[in-house]
Amino acid sequence: MMQDWPEVSKTRVGHMTSGDFYGSEKAVTVAAAGSATIEFVSSDGSVIVLKADIPLVADEIIDCAVMNVKALRQFYADEMEEAKADDVLLSLHLKSTMMRVSDPIIFGHCVSVYYKDVLAKHAAVLGELGVNPDNGVAELYTKIQSLPEAKREEIEGDIGEVYSARPELAMVNSSRGITHLHVPSDVIIDATMPVIVRDGGRTWGPDNELHDTIAMIPDRSYSTIYQATIEDCQKHGAFDPSTIGSVSNVGLMAQKAEEYGSHDKTFKAPGNGAIRVVDTSGATLMEQSVEEGDIFRMCQTKDEPIQDWVKLAVNRARATGSPAIFWLDPNRAHDAEQIKKVDQFLPTHDTVGLDIRTMSPIDAMRFTLARSRAGQDTISVTGNVLRDYLTDLFPILELGTSAKLLSIVPLLDGGGLFETGAGGSAPRHVQQFLEEGHLRWDSLGEFCALVVSFEHFGETHKNDKAKLLAETLDQAIGQHLEDRRGPSRRVNELDTRGSHFYLALHWAEALAKQTQDTELQAHFTEVAQQLSANKDRIVQELIDAQGQPVDIGGYYHPNVEMTANAMRPSDTLNAIVDAI
C-alpha cells in the first residue's frame, strides 16, 4: 500500500532554471545522408576534433545540448542552503548506469559542492591519493584508510563537521551509513523517485526514519514530471492501488535513440570556446558556446523508428480504446522536431474515433494522473528515457515494484522483445542473497513476458503447442497470484526459488488438466503428481538452504556452476525437473 501523505509536505523536486541541457538544446532534421564531426573550437581559434565520421541518415533528427557546470554548482549550493533551512533531507536523483558519461560528472559536482570544505582543506593529500568526486565519497573514505592514523582521523573529523553544517543526506542504506552521494550508480532516478511518492513524499534519513526531501534532478527535461506527481499527491493524497487506472507505454526504443544513445557523443569541454557539429562540406549544423568543464552531448533519432512508433501508438489506441498521449514539449528543440514528424505521420493512419493528443510532459502527467485517479486507463507515447521512467513510476505506485511490469516491444522486422523492470533494485537483492542466502527478486514480470513470448511465437509460426504453453502458463500465473506466492523480503521464508517452484507446480497442473494436446497432457500429468506429492519437502529444502552467506564466485562475472548450485538447492525438485 502507498503511505499516506502528511497534511503539510515540504517535499519538492529541485531543478535548474537555466544553464541545463533542456535550456540549451538545439536540433535539426538532417536533409541528406552523410556524416558529421564534433569539434571543439577554442577561444583562440584552435580546433580539436572530438569525434569524426558520425553517420547521418536523411530525415533523422540530431540535437545537441550543454550543461553549464558553473550554473550546476550554483544550483547545488542553493538547494543545499534551502534544504538546511527547511530542515529536510537532501537527495540526488540521476541515472549514471545509462547516462554513463554525463551523469557521473553531474554527480561529482554535487559531491564536490557538498564536501567542498574538506576537499579544499585536504586538496594536496587527496590529490596524491587520486580521489575523484565523480566516483562518490565512498572512494574518499576508502582511500584515506591508507593514510597515517592521525591524518585519517583529522580528515574524518572534518567530514563530520561537514555533516553538521550541511543538510542531512538521504540514505541508500541507513544502517551502513551509505548516502545518496556515496556511489553514482547507487541512486537510479526511475527506481528512487517513485518510491518517494509511494512513501508519502518521504525518503530514508540517517536515523532510519522517513523524512521530507528536496529531490534534486538538475536537468529540466524530465524533472518536471516528478514535481507534477508530487504536487498531485500533496493536493489529493496517496493513490489507491486497488482503483487507479493503468498507464501503458508505447516507447521509442530504437537502438541508440535520443539521450540513451549519446554516450559516444558526450564530452567535457576542454576549454572556453564552442563545440560544434559540422557536416562533410564544413557547414555547421549546430553549435554550442562552452566554458571549460561544461558537458556537451549530441543525440540522434532515426526517421524509420519514429514512423513505427507513431504506428504502434495508433494500433494501441485502436486495440484498447484509451487515449494515446504523445509526451512532447514544443519548447524543447528535439521534441519540436519530433512533433513535426508526428503531425506528418499521423494522417497516414486511420485515426477516426481515436483520442490521440500531443502534450508537454508536465501537462501529460497531470492529465494522466487525473484519469488514473478516476480509474481510467491512459497510453503514454514517449521517447526512450521517459519510457524508462514511466514504466517504473506507474507499476511502483500500483504494485510496489516494476518487477511485476510486462514490457512488450514489437521490432521493426516483425520480431518482439519482452522484458520486465526493477533493474534498480537488483543490486540490493543480490547483496542480500550473498549475505544470507535469501533472494527476493519477484519474477512475476518475467513469467508474464514468457506468456507473450509463447503467444508471439505461436502466432508467427502457427505453432499450437506454443499457444497452449502460453494459455496454461497464464492460468498458472493466475493461481500463483491468488495464492500469494511471491517471494518474501525476510530470510528463512519463501524466496525467489520457492516462488518459481510454485509456478512450476501450477503450470504442470494446468498442462495436466488441459485436453487440447494429449501428448503434453500425458507428459505433465506425472510431473504434476510428483511436484504435488513432494511439495512440503521441496519447500522445506529451499528454505533450509537460507540463513548463511553464499559464494557464487563473483558479482559481475559469477561462476556458472557455483551459481547454479546456489539457485538449485533442492535435490528433490532437481530430480523431478531434470527428468522432464
Side-chain angles (χ1 to χ4, degrees):
M1 290 291 293
M2 288 187 66
Q3 297 205 36
D4 291 334
W5 278 67
E7 287 188 15
V8 177
S9 170
K10 296 181 181 179
T11 290
R12 65 173 177 82
V13 171
H15 60 71
M16 300 170 70
T17 57
S18 63
D20 57 354
F21 290 125
Y22 175 92
S24 63
E25 190 171 72
K26 298 178 180 179
V28 296
T29 297
V30 176
S35 64
T37 297
I38 301 175
E39 57 186 27
F40 167 71
V41 184
S42 73
S43 53
D44 64 10
S46 60
V47 176
I48 299 173
V49 173
L50 301 176
K51 186 175 182 64
D53 302 320
I54 302 169
L56 299 179
V57 178
D59 297 322
E60 75 171 301
I61 298 170
I62 61 173
D63 64 73
C64 68
V66 168
M67 173 75 76
N68 179 273
V69 298
K70 286 184 180 177
L72 174 66
R73 294 178 68 85
Q74 187 59 54
F75 158 74
Y76 284 141
D78 292 343
E79 296 299 326
M80 289 173 191
E81 286 186 11
E82 290 202 25
K84 185 70 174 180
D86 289 346
D87 192 26
V88 298
L89 297 179
L90 185 75
S91 58
L92 178 64
H93 306 267
L94 300 168
K95 192 155 188 179
S96 296
T97 52
M98 292 293 282
M99 304 303 298
R100 55 183 180 268
V101 178
S102 60
D103 281 23
I105 300 172
I106 296 171
F107 175 88
H109 281 292
C110 188
V111 172
S112 63
V113 171
Y114 188 88
Y115 295 96
K116 67 176 184 178
D117 292 341
V118 171
L119 296 177
K121 179 178 178 181
H122 302 284
V125 66
L126 296 179
E128 291 175 6
L129 292 174
V131 172
N132 181 357
D134 292 2
N135 296 329
V137 74
E139 182 180 85
L140 186 156
Y141 281 121
T142 299
K143 290 191 171 182
I144 63 174
Q145 300 308 309
S146 64
L147 294 174
E149 183 177 358
K151 186 63 176 177
R152 175 180 56 78
E153 289 181 348
E154 179 189 356
I155 295 175
E156 289 176 344
D158 289 338
I159 293 173
E161 291 295 322
V162 169
Y163 289 135
S164 298
R166 291 293 200 183
E168 289 189 326
L169 293 173
M171 308 300 288
V172 172
N173 189 320
S174 301
S175 61
R176 297 186 175 194
I178 298 175
T179 74
H180 273 215
L181 300 186
H182 262 60
V183 181
S185 59
D186 266 356
V187 181
I188 302 175
I189 180 173
D190 43 327
T192 54
M193 285 303 301
V195 174
I196 288 176
V197 176
R198 190 174 173 86
D199 284 344
R202 293 160 293 190
T203 192
W204 296 100
D207 58 357
N208 204 28
E209 297 291 338
L210 289 169
H211 301 276
D212 290 350
T213 183
I214 292 180
M216 295 187 298
I217 307 173
D219 183 48
R220 282 173 291 165
S221 296
Y222 307 112
S223 57
T224 56
I225 68 163
Y226 291 114
Q227 178 60 24
T229 306
I230 289 169
E231 289 173 355
D232 183 272
C233 290
Q234 287 170 333
K235 182 177 181 180
H236 300 292
F239 294 92
D240 182 351
S242 67
T243 61
I244 58 175
S246 66
V247 183
S248 57
N249 182 268
V250 177
L252 179 59
M253 290 186 64
Q255 185 179 24
K256 295 186 176 181
E258 304 180 301
E259 296 97 325
Y260 281 173
S262 67
H263 312 120
D264 61 345
K265 297 177 287 293
T266 299
F267 303 95
K268 184 188 291 188
N272 297 331
I275 297 180
R276 62 192 184 191
V277 181
V278 299
D279 64 18
T280 49
S281 72
T284 298
L285 301 176
M286 298 176 293
E287 181 173 327
Q288 297 280 0
S289 297
V290 294
E291 297 177 341
E292 184 173 357
D294 286 354
I295 307 165
F296 171 95
R297 74 179 184 204
M298 174 187 162
C299 311
Q300 297 175 264
T301 314
K302 300 291 188 289
D303 182 72
E304 184 182 6
I306 295 176
Q307 292 189 46
D308 192 63
W309 178 56
V310 173
K311 179 191 74 176
L312 292 173
V314 173
N315 290 347
R316 186 68 181 168
R318 179 69 64 192
T320 64
S322 299
I325 311 301
F326 284 87
W327 294 45
L328 296 170
D329 187 346
N331 295 317
R332 183 182 173 189
H334 167 82
D335 285 12
E337 292 298 305
Q338 277 194 309
I339 290 171
K340 294 176 186 177
K341 289 185 176 291
V342 171
D343 291 344
Q344 174 189 351
F345 300 138
L346 267 180
T348 67
H349 299 281
D350 177 13
T351 60
V352 175
L354 303 182
D355 185 351
I356 300 177
R357 315 183 193 187
T358 297
M359 306 174 76
S360 70
I362 189 169
D363 290 337
M365 178 60 82
R366 290 168 177 162
F367 176 81
T368 301
L369 292 177
R371 286 183 56 82
S372 186
R373 285 189 182 276
Q376 299 170 321
D377 299 341
T378 313
I379 304 165
S380 60
V381 188
T382 70
N384 204 10
V385 176
L386 263 180
R387 183 270 319 170
D388 212 356
Y389 292 2
L390 298 184
T391 52
D392 269 321
L393 174 62
F394 291 108
I396 289 174
L397 293 184
E398 186 172 358
L399 301 168
T401 172
S402 61
K404 299 177 181 180
L405 154 81
L406 170 61
S407 177
I408 303 172
V409 186
L411 302 179
L412 287 174
D413 291 334
L417 175 67
F418 311 98
E419 62 176 357
T420 187
S425 62
R428 291 191 293 278
H429 296 344
V430 174
Q431 184 182 67
Q432 183 182 13
F433 181 60
L434 297 180
E435 290 177 352
E436 54 187 24
H438 180 90
L439 185 64
R440 68 176 191 262
W441 176 267
D442 191 328
S443 294
L444 180 63
E446 297 159 63
F447 301 155
C448 294
L450 191 56
V451 171
V452 290
S453 297
F454 279 126
E455 288 175 345
H456 179 81
F457 185 88
E459 291 295 332
T460 302
H461 299 283
K462 309 303 179 187
N463 187 304
D464 290 336
K465 273 187 167 57
K467 294 178 183 178
L468 182 59
L469 288 172
E471 181 182 336
T472 51
L473 177 54
D474 193 47
Q475 294 169 5
I477 292 171
Q479 189 64 51
H480 185 274
L481 289 170
E482 288 287 338
D483 294 345
R484 298 181 180 272
R485 297 302 187 186
S488 166
R489 298 173 63 89
R490 292 184 289 273
V491 69
N492 298 127
E493 296 182 1
L494 195 74
D495 76 347
T496 303
R497 295 165 292 188
S499 180
H500 280 233
F501 160 69
Y502 277 109
L503 181 84
L505 169 62
H506 298 320
W507 196 2
E509 290 173 337
L511 284 164
K513 290 177 182 177
Q514 59 80 31
T515 57
Q516 298 164 247
D517 188 313
T518 55
E519 181 184 357
L520 280 176
Q521 182 186 41
H523 190 75
F524 280 96
T525 296
E526 184 178 355
V527 174
Q529 291 171 348
Q530 290 177 333
L531 291 173
S532 180
N534 290 280
K535 178 175 65 174
D536 293 341
R537 182 177 180 181
I538 291 169
V539 171
Q540 193 59 52
E541 287 176 351
L542 294 173
I543 290 177
D544 288 345
Q546 302 177 37
Q548 57 275 328
V550 173
D551 182 7
I552 58 174
Y555 182 90
Y556 293 104
H557 298 286
N559 179 279
V560 174
E561 185 176 351
M562 295 171 70
T563 304
N565 289 336
M567 291 301 296
R568 304 184 71 207
S570 169
D571 291 336
T572 306
L573 177 59
N574 295 344
I576 297 171
V577 171
D578 292 344
I580 295 177

